[in-house]
Amino acid sequence: DVYRIMARLMGTDLGVLISGSSGTGKELVASALHAFGQRKSKPFIKVNIATLPQDSVEIELFGKDSATPEGNEVIGKFEQADGGTIFLDGVSDLSPIAQSRLLSVLQSGEFTRVFGTNPIRVDVRILASTNQDLKELINVGKFREDLFYRLNVVPINLPNLSLRLEDINDLVNHFLELANKEGLGLKTMAPEAMVLLRNNQWHGNVRELKNFVNRMVVLCKDQVITSED
């Protein structure tokens, strides 16, 4: 279902809200939507909201005018993404002020830099992700409802790995190939070991599985990784 939705979106510039637990592949979906979309030759700017200090989020996103005591100009992520795509990873972590400014950009297509007065117009496709239930955040007053409906043009929900354990074999073999290409070593997974992996819940989802495979490749002495390993 996820692939089918993505395929239908490739020829559009519609905004997408990608939801799912940590480790389910939200950034991979955003990267694919850009790489196979109409703006693939233009910039793809990723912003991890959770890693930005609250007092600098607006500057990171919208830039800073040179008319400041420091006199230094900052080009924000939205300007950097002009013509391309911006991916707001962890959009639920935006401060109320940043939410208001983002809503304004979505409504008008323009903004002013921090300390600036001249409006700047950009043509940007916005992809956003969250590992939280935004409707619950709306109910407790932590996320703007109008912003949610602006972002949630096309929703894509990524299931936890525990809900698609039949994919374990393909994922493990893929990660074994990647590990070999990255110089970690050429290893295979014994059938009985694969059964153990399919019986695990993988609370960290696909990311946890990938890290586990890499660990086994490095730590196991034999070429075949067994259930005992």
Side-chain angles (χ1 to χ4, degrees), residues 74-141:
V74 176
I75 305 298
K77 302 299 186 185
F78 270 87
E79 284 182 77
Q80 296 174 33
D82 192 22
T85 305
I86 189 166
F87 173 46
L88 302 175
D89 188 12
V91 71
S92 51
D93 292 314
L94 282 173
S95 68
I97 295 177
Q99 288 181 38
S100 297
R101 294 203 63 172
L102 176 58
L103 177 64
S104 177
V105 174
L106 288 167
Q107 290 173 333
S108 67
E110 63 181 33
F111 60 91
T112 57
R113 293 177 181 170
V114 176
F115 302 118
T117 56
N118 298 321
I120 298 171
R121 178 164 287 275
V122 291
D123 174 22
V124 175
R125 184 187 191 185
I126 297 180
L127 308 177
S129 76
T130 180
N131 60 6
Q132 300 188 55
D133 187 335
L134 292 185
K135 290 185 177 179
E136 284 189 8
L137 295 182
I138 291 169
N139 290 336
V140 296

Side-chain angles (χ1 to χ4, degrees), residues 14-84:
L14 294 176
V16 180
L17 180 61
I18 309 162
S19 60
S21 301
S22 178
T24 50
K26 296 184 290 296
E27 185 176 331
L28 284 176
V29 170
S31 297
L33 287 173
H34 175 78
F36 295 96
Q38 299 181 126
R39 297 172 181 253
K40 59 186 177 183
S41 62
K42 301 297 183 179
F44 178 55
I45 303 298
K46 295 181 282 187
V47 186
N48 189 333
I49 304 297
T51 63
L52 298 178
Q54 284 296 320
D55 58 354
S56 65
V57 170
E58 288 185 80
I59 293 176
E60 284 287 334
L61 291 178
F62 307 112
K64 185 173 68 170
D65 197 76
S66 58
T68 65
E70 300 85 3
N72 57 324
E73 181 183 66
V74 176
I75 305 298
K77 302 299 186 185
F78 270 87
E79 284 182 77
Q80 296 174 33
D82 192 22

Side-chain angles (χ1 to χ4, degrees), residues 192-216:
E192 70 274 9
M194 201 74 84
V195 171
L196 284 180
L197 299 184
R198 289 199 300 271
N199 288 333
N200 192 43
Q201 288 302 302
W202 302 108
H203 299 294
N205 294 298
V206 181
R207 183 183 295 120
E208 182 189 2
L209 178 63
K210 181 180 181 181
N211 291 340
F212 179 83
V213 170
N214 286 341
R215 186 162 71 247
M216 290 294 98

